[in-house]
Amino acid sequence: MTDKIKILLIEDVKSDAELILREIEKDEIAINHLLVDNRADYLKGLKSFNPDIIISDYSLPQFDGKSALVLRNELAPSVPFILVTGSLNEEVAVMCMKMGADDYILKVNLTRVGLAIENAISKYETLREKTDSEEALKKSEGKYRLIFNNIQDVYYETALDGIILDLSPSIEIMSKGQYQVGDLIGKSMYEFYVDQTVRQAVLLALKQNGLVNDFEIN
């Protein structure tokens, strides 16, 4: 990772915070960090610091990791969250993971923190890329559907067995009301060929060439 990662660190013991940061630096991860130890400063940090990841102790005198996680879920769900704590029983760990924590690390095993950060950020980057791709696909499909619904010529899609999968609304105008889209989808194109052998000729040309251009059908 070449860009500096912004870490919002929730920890009330300065020496523990220094240990965490030192272990991260050992993995040659470039960081900026903001250290907080209470709810008010944490909320300010979420808004003004705009962290790439949150690392939180589980138990603090004025705050706790569970509350920080709940606030993360509400205010910044796309920011990874890692618990680092001195002691955490299995039941609490499972609860936090179910609530959305991406990982938890015991302070006696801080050598894992760098890898945990990289894995969590990588996971969220993948999710963001997937979301962006899905949004782009939705926009593309929306544009396609707008053109499809307003095209003047009749456009249709069929499966290889001839079943009509989609059909432009223009069929209703072109047929002067004889055909309705809802009545035709699911039917076979074979029902509408004057010459039944034409369909086989189309399929043969499609299989041989991968596409069919300017094929006249009666």
mmCIF file of all heavy atoms in Angstrom, residues 124-172:
data_model
loop_
_atom_site.group_PDB
_atom_site.id
_atom_site.type_symbol
_atom_site.label_atom_id
_atom_site.label_comp_id
_atom_site.label_asym_id
_atom_site.label_seq_id
_atom_site.Cartn_x
_atom_site.Cartn_y
_atom_site.Cartn_z
ATOM 1 N N TYR A 124 -13.096 -4.392 1.750
ATOM 2 C CA TYR A 124 -14.017 -3.287 1.512
ATOM 3 C C TYR A 124 -13.795 -2.660 0.137
ATOM 4 O O TYR A 124 -14.751 -2.198 -0.500
ATOM 5 C CB TYR A 124 -13.899 -2.240 2.616
ATOM 6 C CG TYR A 124 -14.693 -2.599 3.843
ATOM 7 C CD1 TYR A 124 -14.267 -3.591 4.712
ATOM 8 C CD2 TYR A 124 -15.900 -1.969 4.117
ATOM 9 C CE1 TYR A 124 -15.002 -3.944 5.830
ATOM 10 C CE2 TYR A 124 -16.652 -2.305 5.238
ATOM 11 C CZ TYR A 124 -16.192 -3.295 6.091
ATOM 12 O OH TYR A 124 -16.946 -3.646 7.193
ATOM 13 N N GLU A 125 -12.558 -2.645 -0.337
ATOM 14 C CA GLU A 125 -12.294 -2.132 -1.678
ATOM 15 C C GLU A 125 -12.967 -3.019 -2.720
ATOM 16 O O GLU A 125 -13.532 -2.526 -3.705
ATOM 17 C CB GLU A 125 -10.786 -2.062 -1.931
ATOM 18 C CG GLU A 125 -10.100 -0.914 -1.205
ATOM 19 C CD GLU A 125 -8.595 -0.910 -1.412
ATOM 20 O OE1 GLU A 125 -8.064 -1.928 -1.917
ATOM 21 O OE2 GLU A 125 -7.956 0.098 -1.076
ATOM 22 N N THR A 126 -12.915 -4.331 -2.494
ATOM 23 C CA THR A 126 -13.568 -5.271 -3.405
ATOM 24 C C THR A 126 -15.078 -5.058 -3.397
ATOM 25 O O THR A 126 -15.727 -5.072 -4.453
ATOM 26 C CB THR A 126 -13.246 -6.720 -3.017
ATOM 27 O OG1 THR A 126 -11.828 -6.924 -3.074
ATOM 28 C CG2 THR A 126 -13.928 -7.703 -3.943
ATOM 29 N N LEU A 127 -15.640 -4.847 -2.207
ATOM 30 C CA LEU A 127 -17.079 -4.608 -2.102
ATOM 31 C C LEU A 127 -17.472 -3.315 -2.800
ATOM 32 O O LEU A 127 -18.504 -3.249 -3.482
ATOM 33 C CB LEU A 127 -17.494 -4.550 -0.625
ATOM 34 C CG LEU A 127 -17.471 -5.875 0.144
ATOM 35 C CD1 LEU A 127 -17.760 -5.635 1.627
ATOM 36 C CD2 LEU A 127 -18.504 -6.842 -0.434
ATOM 37 N N ARG A 128 -16.641 -2.271 -2.642
ATOM 38 C CA ARG A 128 -16.935 -0.994 -3.298
ATOM 39 C C ARG A 128 -16.877 -1.133 -4.819
ATOM 40 O O ARG A 128 -17.711 -0.584 -5.543
ATOM 41 C CB ARG A 128 -15.968 0.078 -2.808
ATOM 42 C CG ARG A 128 -16.373 0.720 -1.488
ATOM 43 C CD ARG A 128 -15.557 1.969 -1.203
ATOM 44 N NE ARG A 128 -14.179 1.656 -0.881
ATOM 45 C CZ ARG A 128 -13.750 1.450 0.356
ATOM 46 N NH1 ARG A 128 -14.590 1.503 1.373
ATOM 47 N NH2 ARG A 128 -12.468 1.192 0.586
ATOM 48 N N GLU A 129 -15.873 -1.865 -5.301
ATOM 49 C CA GLU A 129 -15.756 -2.080 -6.739
ATOM 50 C C GLU A 129 -16.960 -2.847 -7.269
ATOM 51 O O GLU A 129 -17.474 -2.538 -8.355
ATOM 52 C CB GLU A 129 -14.465 -2.841 -7.053
ATOM 53 C CG GLU A 129 -13.204 -2.012 -6.841
ATOM 54 C CD GLU A 129 -11.938 -2.838 -6.983
ATOM 55 O OE1 GLU A 129 -12.058 -4.058 -7.236
ATOM 56 O OE2 GLU A 129 -10.840 -2.280 -6.834
ATOM 57 N N LYS A 130 -17.408 -3.845 -6.506
ATOM 58 C CA LYS A 130 -18.581 -4.615 -6.912
ATOM 59 C C LYS A 130 -19.815 -3.728 -6.944
ATOM 60 O O LYS A 130 -20.619 -3.783 -7.885
ATOM 61 C CB LYS A 130 -18.794 -5.782 -5.943
ATOM 62 C CG LYS A 130 -19.990 -6.650 -6.300
ATOM 63 C CD LYS A 130 -20.170 -7.782 -5.296
ATOM 64 C CE LYS A 130 -21.390 -8.617 -5.636
ATOM 65 N NZ LYS A 130 -21.623 -9.695 -4.646
ATOM 66 N N THR A 131 -19.970 -2.878 -5.916
ATOM 67 C CA THR A 131 -21.116 -1.973 -5.863
ATOM 68 C C THR A 131 -21.090 -0.992 -7.025
ATOM 69 O O THR A 131 -22.116 -0.733 -7.660
ATOM 70 C CB THR A 131 -21.124 -1.197 -4.531
ATOM 71 O OG1 THR A 131 -21.217 -2.122 -3.447
ATOM 72 C CG2 THR A 131 -22.311 -0.247 -4.470
ATOM 73 N N ASP A 132 -19.894 -0.444 -7.315
ATOM 74 C CA ASP A 132 -19.765 0.491 -8.433
ATOM 75 C C ASP A 132 -20.115 -0.188 -9.755
ATOM 76 O O ASP A 132 -20.777 0.411 -10.616
ATOM 77 C CB ASP A 132 -18.332 1.045 -8.497
ATOM 78 C CG ASP A 132 -18.020 1.984 -7.342
ATOM 79 O OD1 ASP A 132 -18.975 2.427 -6.671
ATOM 80 O OD2 ASP A 132 -16.834 2.258 -7.107
ATOM 81 N N SER A 133 -19.664 -1.439 -9.917
ATOM 82 C CA SER A 133 -19.961 -2.182 -11.144
ATOM 83 C C SER A 133 -21.453 -2.448 -11.279
ATOM 84 O O SER A 133 -22.025 -2.337 -12.370
ATOM 85 C CB SER A 133 -19.193 -3.508 -11.163
ATOM 86 O OG SER A 133 -17.801 -3.298 -11.181
ATOM 87 N N GLU A 134 -22.087 -2.799 -10.152
ATOM 88 C CA GLU A 134 -23.523 -3.060 -10.179
ATOM 89 C C GLU A 134 -24.314 -1.799 -10.499
ATOM 90 O O GLU A 134 -25.308 -1.843 -11.228
ATOM 91 C CB GLU A 134 -23.973 -3.641 -8.836
ATOM 92 C CG GLU A 134 -23.476 -5.065 -8.601
ATOM 93 C CD GLU A 134 -23.798 -5.567 -7.210
ATOM 94 O OE1 GLU A 134 -24.202 -4.735 -6.355
ATOM 95 O OE2 GLU A 134 -23.641 -6.781 -6.971
ATOM 96 N N GLU A 135 -23.860 -0.656 -9.946
ATOM 97 C CA GLU A 135 -24.529 0.608 -10.231
ATOM 98 C C GLU A 135 -24.377 0.987 -11.702
ATOM 99 O O GLU A 135 -25.321 1.456 -12.337
ATOM 100 C CB GLU A 135 -23.959 1.721 -9.348
ATOM 101 C CG GLU A 135 -24.363 1.629 -7.886
ATOM 102 C CD GLU A 135 -25.864 1.752 -7.690
ATOM 103 O OE1 GLU A 135 -26.490 2.566 -8.407
ATOM 104 O OE2 GLU A 135 -26.414 1.022 -6.853
ATOM 105 N N ALA A 136 -23.167 0.772 -12.246
ATOM 106 C CA ALA A 136 -22.933 1.066 -13.667
ATOM 107 C C ALA A 136 -23.791 0.170 -14.541
ATOM 108 O O ALA A 136 -24.340 0.617 -15.567
ATOM 109 C CB ALA A 136 -21.458 0.876 -13.997
ATOM 110 N N LEU A 137 -23.926 -1.098 -14.139
ATOM 111 C CA LEU A 137 -24.746 -2.030 -14.897
ATOM 112 C C LEU A 137 -26.216 -1.623 -14.866
ATOM 113 O O LEU A 137 -26.914 -1.683 -15.887
ATOM 114 C CB LEU A 137 -24.586 -3.450 -14.336
ATOM 115 C CG LEU A 137 -25.396 -4.550 -15.034
ATOM 116 C CD1 LEU A 137 -24.996 -4.652 -16.498
ATOM 117 C CD2 LEU A 137 -25.179 -5.889 -14.338
ATOM 118 N N LYS A 138 -26.684 -1.171 -13.695
ATOM 119 C CA LYS A 138 -28.073 -0.724 -13.581
ATOM 120 C C LYS A 138 -28.346 0.473 -14.489
ATOM 121 O O LYS A 138 -29.385 0.565 -15.141
ATOM 122 C CB LYS A 138 -28.389 -0.364 -12.126
ATOM 123 C CG LYS A 138 -28.548 -1.557 -11.200
ATOM 124 C CD LYS A 138 -28.850 -1.104 -9.787
ATOM 125 C CE LYS A 138 -28.967 -2.289 -8.840
ATOM 126 N NZ LYS A 138 -29.230 -1.849 -7.436
ATOM 127 N N LYS A 139 -27.384 1.411 -14.527
ATOM 128 C CA LYS A 139 -27.542 2.585 -15.384
ATOM 129 C C LYS A 139 -27.561 2.177 -16.855
ATOM 130 O O LYS A 139 -28.357 2.688 -17.650
ATOM 131 C CB LYS A 139 -26.406 3.577 -15.127
ATOM 132 C CG LYS A 139 -26.497 4.291 -13.787
ATOM 133 C CD LYS A 139 -25.351 5.272 -13.609
ATOM 134 C CE LYS A 139 -25.440 5.975 -12.262
ATOM 135 N NZ LYS A 139 -24.305 6.930 -12.059
ATOM 136 N N SER A 140 -26.669 1.246 -17.207
ATOM 137 C CA SER A 140 -26.609 0.764 -18.576
ATOM 138 C C SER A 140 -27.904 0.057 -18.965
ATOM 139 O O SER A 140 -28.447 0.266 -20.050
ATOM 140 C CB SER A 140 -25.423 -0.192 -18.739
ATOM 141 O OG SER A 140 -25.373 -0.729 -20.034
ATOM 142 N N GLU A 141 -28.403 -0.780 -18.053
ATOM 143 C CA GLU A 141 -29.648 -1.493 -18.316
ATOM 144 C C GLU A 141 -30.823 -0.530 -18.419
ATOM 145 O O GLU A 141 -31.739 -0.729 -19.216
ATOM 146 C CB GLU A 141 -29.900 -2.528 -17.218
ATOM 147 C CG GLU A 141 -28.937 -3.709 -17.272
ATOM 148 C CD GLU A 141 -29.144 -4.667 -16.116
ATOM 149 O OE1 GLU A 141 -29.799 -4.268 -15.120
ATOM 150 O OE2 GLU A 141 -28.644 -5.800 -16.195
ATOM 151 N N GLY A 142 -30.776 0.545 -17.600
ATOM 152 C CA GLY A 142 -31.840 1.539 -17.653
ATOM 153 C C GLY A 142 -31.870 2.255 -18.988
ATOM 154 O O GLY A 142 -32.947 2.488 -19.564
ATOM 155 N N LYS A 143 -30.669 2.609 -19.506
ATOM 156 C CA LYS A 143 -30.595 3.265 -20.805
ATOM 157 C C LYS A 143 -31.078 2.320 -21.904
ATOM 158 O O LYS A 143 -31.795 2.719 -22.822
ATOM 159 C CB LYS A 143 -29.161 3.715 -21.087
ATOM 160 C CG LYS A 143 -28.681 4.861 -20.211
ATOM 161 C CD LYS A 143 -27.236 5.230 -20.532
ATOM 162 C CE LYS A 143 -26.762 6.377 -19.644
ATOM 163 N NZ LYS A 143 -25.330 6.714 -19.919
ATOM 164 N N TYR A 144 -30.657 1.050 -21.806
ATOM 165 C CA TYR A 144 -31.079 0.049 -22.785
ATOM 166 C C TYR A 144 -32.591 -0.112 -22.781
ATOM 167 O O TYR A 144 -33.228 -0.142 -23.835
ATOM 168 C CB TYR A 144 -30.410 -1.290 -22.484
ATOM 169 C CG TYR A 144 -31.048 -2.469 -23.186
ATOM 170 C CD1 TYR A 144 -30.781 -2.729 -24.515
ATOM 171 C CD2 TYR A 144 -31.922 -3.313 -22.497
ATOM 172 C CE1 TYR A 144 -31.369 -3.813 -25.158
ATOM 173 C CE2 TYR A 144 -32.510 -4.394 -23.134
ATOM 174 C CZ TYR A 144 -32.232 -4.644 -24.458
ATOM 175 O OH TYR A 144 -32.819 -5.708 -25.096
ATOM 176 N N ARG A 145 -33.163 -0.200 -21.580
ATOM 177 C CA ARG A 145 -34.606 -0.393 -21.474
ATOM 178 C C ARG A 145 -35.367 0.804 -22.015
ATOM 179 O O ARG A 145 -36.415 0.662 -22.651
ATOM 180 C CB ARG A 145 -34.969 -0.656 -20.006
ATOM 181 C CG ARG A 145 -36.446 -0.927 -19.743
ATOM 182 C CD ARG A 145 -36.999 -2.035 -20.587
ATOM 183 N NE ARG A 145 -36.272 -3.290 -20.426
ATOM 184 C CZ ARG A 145 -36.575 -4.398 -21.092
ATOM 185 N NH1 ARG A 145 -37.575 -4.400 -21.966
ATOM 186 N NH2 ARG A 145 -35.864 -5.484 -20.903
ATOM 187 N N LEU A 146 -34.846 2.005 -21.800
ATOM 188 C CA LEU A 146 -35.497 3.214 -22.317
ATOM 189 C C LEU A 146 -35.528 3.186 -23.842
ATOM 190 O O LEU A 146 -36.559 3.484 -24.463
ATOM 191 C CB LEU A 146 -34.743 4.455 -21.830
ATOM 192 C CG LEU A 146 -35.304 5.811 -22.266
ATOM 193 C CD1 LEU A 146 -36.713 6.017 -21.708
ATOM 194 C CD2 LEU A 146 -34.385 6.950 -21.822
ATOM 195 N N ILE A 147 -34.393 2.826 -24.446
ATOM 196 C CA ILE A 147 -34.338 2.727 -25.913
ATOM 197 C C ILE A 147 -35.245 1.597 -26.398
ATOM 198 O O ILE A 147 -36.000 1.748 -27.368
ATOM 199 C CB ILE A 147 -32.887 2.487 -26.370
ATOM 200 C CG1 ILE A 147 -32.023 3.702 -26.033
ATOM 201 C CG2 ILE A 147 -32.835 2.200 -27.868
ATOM 202 C CD1 ILE A 147 -30.539 3.483 -26.266
ATOM 203 N N PHE A 148 -35.171 0.462 -25.725
ATOM 204 C CA PHE A 148 -35.952 -0.716 -26.095
ATOM 205 C C PHE A 148 -37.448 -0.418 -26.091
ATOM 206 O O PHE A 148 -38.186 -0.817 -26.994
ATOM 207 C CB PHE A 148 -35.629 -1.851 -25.119
ATOM 208 C CG PHE A 148 -36.303 -3.159 -25.442
ATOM 209 C CD1 PHE A 148 -35.728 -4.031 -26.348
ATOM 210 C CD2 PHE A 148 -37.494 -3.506 -24.835
ATOM 211 C CE1 PHE A 148 -36.338 -5.244 -26.637
ATOM 212 C CE2 PHE A 148 -38.109 -4.717 -25.124
ATOM 213 C CZ PHE A 148 -37.522 -5.590 -26.028
ATOM 214 N N ASN A 149 -37.885 0.293 -25.061
ATOM 215 C CA ASN A 149 -39.320 0.569 -24.917
ATOM 216 C C ASN A 149 -39.827 1.624 -25.890
ATOM 217 O O ASN A 149 -41.038 1.755 -26.086
ATOM 218 C CB ASN A 149 -39.631 1.008 -23.482
ATOM 219 C CG ASN A 149 -39.552 -0.140 -22.502
ATOM 220 O OD1 ASN A 149 -39.665 -1.308 -22.889
ATOM 221 N ND2 ASN A 149 -39.344 0.172 -21.238
ATOM 222 N N ASN A 150 -38.890 2.394 -26.485
ATOM 223 C CA ASN A 150 -39.313 3.484 -27.367
ATOM 224 C C ASN A 150 -38.895 3.298 -28.823
ATOM 225 O O ASN A 150 -39.151 4.174 -29.651
ATOM 226 C CB ASN A 150 -38.743 4.812 -26.849
ATOM 227 C CG ASN A 150 -39.407 5.258 -25.551
ATOM 228 O OD1 ASN A 150 -40.476 5.829 -25.555
ATOM 229 N ND2 ASN A 150 -38.745 4.971 -24.432
ATOM 230 N N ILE A 151 -38.272 2.173 -29.131
ATOM 231 C CA ILE A 151 -37.852 1.913 -30.498
ATOM 232 C C ILE A 151 -39.070 1.752 -31.396
ATOM 233 O O ILE A 151 -40.105 1.205 -30.982
ATOM 234 C CB ILE A 151 -36.951 0.659 -30.555
ATOM 235 C CG1 ILE A 151 -36.234 0.567 -31.886
ATOM 236 C CG2 ILE A 151 -37.755 -0.602 -30.265
ATOM 237 C CD1 ILE A 151 -35.163 -0.510 -31.924
ATOM 238 N N GLN A 152 -38.985 2.241 -32.627
ATOM 239 C CA GLN A 152 -40.135 2.183 -33.538
ATOM 240 C C GLN A 152 -40.230 0.834 -34.238
ATOM 241 O O GLN A 152 -41.324 0.322 -34.475
ATOM 242 C CB GLN A 152 -40.051 3.310 -34.564
ATOM 243 C CG GLN A 152 -40.216 4.704 -33.943
ATOM 244 C CD GLN A 152 -40.215 5.803 -34.989
ATOM 245 O OE1 GLN A 152 -40.046 5.544 -36.175
ATOM 246 N NE2 GLN A 152 -40.388 7.030 -34.545
ATOM 247 N N ASP A 153 -39.079 0.259 -34.606
ATOM 248 C CA ASP A 153 -39.101 -1.072 -35.206
ATOM 249 C C ASP A 153 -39.366 -2.109 -34.117
ATOM 250 O O ASP A 153 -39.207 -1.840 -32.930
ATOM 251 C CB ASP A 153 -37.767 -1.380 -35.880
ATOM 252 C CG ASP A 153 -37.525 -0.489 -37.091
ATOM 253 O OD1 ASP A 153 -38.517 -0.075 -37.716
ATOM 254 O OD2 ASP A 153 -36.357 -0.196 -37.387
ATOM 255 N N VAL A 154 -39.746 -3.301 -34.538
ATOM 256 C CA VAL A 154 -39.998 -4.379 -33.582
ATOM 257 C C VAL A 154 -38.671 -5.072 -33.264
ATOM 258 O O VAL A 154 -37.944 -5.497 -34.159
ATOM 259 C CB VAL A 154 -40.997 -5.403 -34.133
ATOM 260 C CG1 VAL A 154 -41.152 -6.568 -33.153
ATOM 261 C CG2 VAL A 154 -42.340 -4.746 -34.400
ATOM 262 N N TYR A 155 -38.353 -5.155 -31.982
ATOM 263 C CA TYR A 155 -37.133 -5.805 -31.528
ATOM 264 C C TYR A 155 -37.525 -6.919 -30.572
ATOM 265 O O TYR A 155 -38.356 -6.730 -29.683
ATOM 266 C CB TYR A 155 -36.221 -4.806 -30.818
ATOM 267 C CG TYR A 155 -34.933 -5.395 -30.315
ATOM 268 C CD1 TYR A 155 -33.813 -5.449 -31.120
ATOM 269 C CD2 TYR A 155 -34.848 -5.927 -29.023
ATOM 270 C CE1 TYR A 155 -32.621 -6.008 -30.679
ATOM 271 C CE2 TYR A 155 -33.671 -6.493 -28.565
ATOM 272 C CZ TYR A 155 -32.561 -6.521 -29.394
ATOM 273 O OH TYR A 155 -31.402 -7.088 -28.939
ATOM 274 N N TYR A 156 -36.927 -8.090 -30.762
ATOM 275 C CA TYR A 156 -37.253 -9.201 -29.870
ATOM 276 C C TYR A 156 -36.014 -10.040 -29.603
ATOM 277 O O TYR A 156 -35.053 -10.036 -30.369
ATOM 278 C CB TYR A 156 -38.372 -10.068 -30.462
ATOM 279 C CG TYR A 156 -38.028 -10.754 -31.769
ATOM 280 C CD1 TYR A 156 -37.484 -12.031 -31.779
ATOM 281 C CD2 TYR A 156 -38.255 -10.124 -32.994
ATOM 282 C CE1 TYR A 156 -37.158 -12.674 -32.972
ATOM 283 C CE2 TYR A 156 -37.934 -10.741 -34.190
ATOM 284 C CZ TYR A 156 -37.381 -12.021 -34.177
ATOM 285 O OH TYR A 156 -37.062 -12.638 -35.349
ATOM 286 N N GLU A 157 -36.062 -10.767 -28.508
ATOM 287 C CA GLU A 157 -34.999 -11.687 -28.139
ATOM 288 C C GLU A 157 -35.612 -13.061 -27.935
ATOM 289 O O GLU A 157 -36.688 -13.190 -27.327
ATOM 290 C CB GLU A 157 -34.305 -11.247 -26.853
ATOM 291 C CG GLU A 157 -33.577 -9.916 -26.951
ATOM 292 C CD GLU A 157 -32.935 -9.505 -25.635
ATOM 293 O OE1 GLU A 157 -32.962 -10.323 -24.686
ATOM 294 O OE2 GLU A 157 -32.402 -8.391 -25.556
ATOM 295 N N THR A 158 -34.914 -14.091 -28.414
ATOM 296 C CA THR A 158 -35.410 -15.449 -28.231
ATOM 297 C C THR A 158 -34.294 -16.346 -27.722
ATOM 298 O O THR A 158 -33.104 -16.052 -27.898
ATOM 299 C CB THR A 158 -35.946 -16.049 -29.553
ATOM 300 O OG1 THR A 158 -34.848 -16.340 -30.425
ATOM 301 C CG2 THR A 158 -36.920 -15.102 -30.232
ATOM 302 N N ALA A 159 -34.687 -17.451 -27.115
ATOM 303 C CA ALA A 159 -33.733 -18.500 -26.770
ATOM 304 C C ALA A 159 -33.458 -19.320 -28.028
ATOM 305 O O ALA A 159 -34.150 -19.168 -29.044
ATOM 306 C CB ALA A 159 -34.301 -19.381 -25.667
ATOM 307 N N LEU A 160 -32.444 -20.188 -27.986
ATOM 308 C CA LEU A 160 -32.122 -20.993 -29.163
ATOM 309 C C LEU A 160 -33.262 -21.917 -29.569
ATOM 310 O O LEU A 160 -33.367 -22.291 -30.731
ATOM 311 C CB LEU A 160 -30.853 -21.810 -28.898
ATOM 312 C CG LEU A 160 -29.538 -21.012 -28.860
ATOM 313 C CD1 LEU A 160 -28.378 -21.924 -28.492
ATOM 314 C CD2 LEU A 160 -29.277 -20.329 -30.201
ATOM 315 N N ASP A 161 -34.122 -22.261 -28.614
ATOM 316 C CA ASP A 161 -35.250 -23.131 -28.961
ATOM 317 C C ASP A 161 -36.438 -22.349 -29.525
ATOM 318 O O ASP A 161 -37.489 -22.912 -29.806
ATOM 319 C CB ASP A 161 -35.699 -23.951 -27.757
ATOM 320 C CG ASP A 161 -36.164 -23.086 -26.592
ATOM 321 O OD1 ASP A 161 -36.191 -21.849 -26.740
ATOM 322 O OD2 ASP A 161 -36.484 -23.656 -25.531
ATOM 323 N N GLY A 162 -36.243 -21.019 -29.680
ATOM 324 C CA GLY A 162 -37.285 -20.211 -30.301
ATOM 325 C C GLY A 162 -38.260 -19.546 -29.346
ATOM 326 O O GLY A 162 -39.112 -18.771 -29.781
ATOM 327 N N ILE A 163 -38.123 -19.796 -28.050
ATOM 328 C CA ILE A 163 -39.031 -19.182 -27.088
ATOM 329 C C ILE A 163 -38.734 -17.687 -26.977
ATOM 330 O O ILE A 163 -37.583 -17.281 -26.807
ATOM 331 C CB ILE A 163 -38.914 -19.849 -25.699
ATOM 332 C CG1 ILE A 163 -39.301 -21.321 -25.801
ATOM 333 C CG2 ILE A 163 -39.792 -19.130 -24.665
ATOM 334 C CD1 ILE A 163 -40.731 -21.550 -26.269
ATOM 335 N N ILE A 164 -39.748 -16.854 -27.064
ATOM 336 C CA ILE A 164 -39.588 -15.405 -27.003
ATOM 337 C C ILE A 164 -39.298 -14.989 -25.566
ATOM 338 O O ILE A 164 -40.086 -15.264 -24.649
ATOM 339 C CB ILE A 164 -40.854 -14.693 -27.524
ATOM 340 C CG1 ILE A 164 -41.109 -15.072 -28.987
ATOM 341 C CG2 ILE A 164 -40.707 -13.173 -27.398
ATOM 342 C CD1 ILE A 164 -42.437 -14.559 -29.530
ATOM 343 N N LEU A 165 -38.161 -14.323 -25.365
ATOM 344 C CA LEU A 165 -37.746 -13.889 -24.034
ATOM 345 C C LEU A 165 -38.118 -12.439 -23.758
ATOM 346 O O LEU A 165 -38.439 -12.080 -22.633
ATOM 347 C CB LEU A 165 -36.234 -14.056 -23.872
ATOM 348 C CG LEU A 165 -35.680 -15.461 -24.109
ATOM 349 C CD1 LEU A 165 -34.154 -15.450 -24.031
ATOM 350 C CD2 LEU A 165 -36.257 -16.444 -23.094
ATOM 351 N N ASP A 166 -38.043 -11.610 -24.786
ATOM 352 C CA ASP A 166 -38.347 -10.187 -24.614
ATOM 353 C C ASP A 166 -38.832 -9.641 -25.948
ATOM 354 O O ASP A 166 -38.466 -10.142 -27.016
ATOM 355 C CB ASP A 166 -37.113 -9.425 -24.142
ATOM 356 C CG ASP A 166 -37.479 -8.166 -23.350
ATOM 357 O OD1 ASP A 166 -38.680 -7.810 -23.326
ATOM 358 O OD2 ASP A 166 -36.566 -7.550 -22.764
ATOM 359 N N LEU A 167 -39.626 -8.578 -25.886
ATOM 360 C CA LEU A 167 -40.247 -8.041 -27.090
ATOM 361 C C LEU A 167 -40.565 -6.571 -26.865
ATOM 362 O O LEU A 167 -41.080 -6.190 -25.823
ATOM 363 C CB LEU A 167 -41.537 -8.820 -27.387
ATOM 364 C CG LEU A 167 -42.312 -8.494 -28.652
ATOM 365 C CD1 LEU A 167 -41.497 -8.866 -29.890
ATOM 366 C CD2 LEU A 167 -43.632 -9.266 -28.655
ATOM 367 N N SER A 168 -40.212 -5.749 -27.844
ATOM 368 C CA SER A 168 -40.453 -4.312 -27.688
ATOM 369 C C SER A 168 -41.938 -3.989 -27.793
ATOM 370 O O SER A 168 -42.678 -4.629 -28.550
ATOM 371 C CB SER A 168 -39.668 -3.530 -28.748
ATOM 372 O OG SER A 168 -40.095 -3.889 -30.043
ATOM 373 N N PRO A 169 -42.401 -2.994 -27.050
ATOM 374 C CA PRO A 169 -43.822 -2.609 -27.083
ATOM 375 C C PRO A 169 -44.310 -2.172 -28.463
ATOM 376 O O PRO A 169 -45.514 -2.150 -28.717
ATOM 377 C CB PRO A 169 -43.886 -1.443 -26.087
ATOM 378 C CG PRO A 169 -42.715 -1.636 -25.188
ATOM 379 C CD PRO A 169 -41.649 -2.213 -26.056
ATOM 380 N N SER A 170 -43.366 -1.849 -29.355
ATOM 381 C CA SER A 170 -43.747 -1.410 -30.704
ATOM 382 C C SER A 170 -44.527 -2.472 -31.474
ATOM 383 O O SER A 170 -45.208 -2.160 -32.451
ATOM 384 C CB SER A 170 -42.497 -1.007 -31.498
ATOM 385 O OG SER A 170 -41.552 -2.058 -31.504
ATOM 386 N N ILE A 171 -44.450 -3.743 -31.045
ATOM 387 C CA ILE A 171 -45.203 -4.800 -31.712
ATOM 388 C C ILE A 171 -46.699 -4.512 -31.689
ATOM 389 O O ILE A 171 -47.426 -4.837 -32.624
ATOM 390 C CB ILE A 171 -44.902 -6.176 -31.061
ATOM 391 C CG1 ILE A 171 -45.579 -7.310 -31.835
ATOM 392 C CG2 ILE A 171 -45.344 -6.188 -29.610
ATOM 393 C CD1 ILE A 171 -45.088 -7.488 -33.241
ATOM 394 N N GLU A 172 -47.150 -3.866 -30.623
ATOM 395 C CA GLU A 172 -48.582 -3.585 -30.491
ATOM 396 C C GLU A 172 -49.047 -2.558 -31.510
ATOM 397 O O GLU A 172 -50.158 -2.634 -32.037
ATOM 398 C CB GLU A 172 -48.879 -3.122 -29.065
ATOM 399 C CG GLU A 172 -48.532 -4.190 -28.013
ATOM 400 C CD GLU A 172 -48.699 -3.703 -26.590
ATOM 401 O OE1 GLU A 172 -49.219 -2.580 -26.404
ATOM 402 O OE2 GLU A 172 -48.308 -4.438 -25.664
#
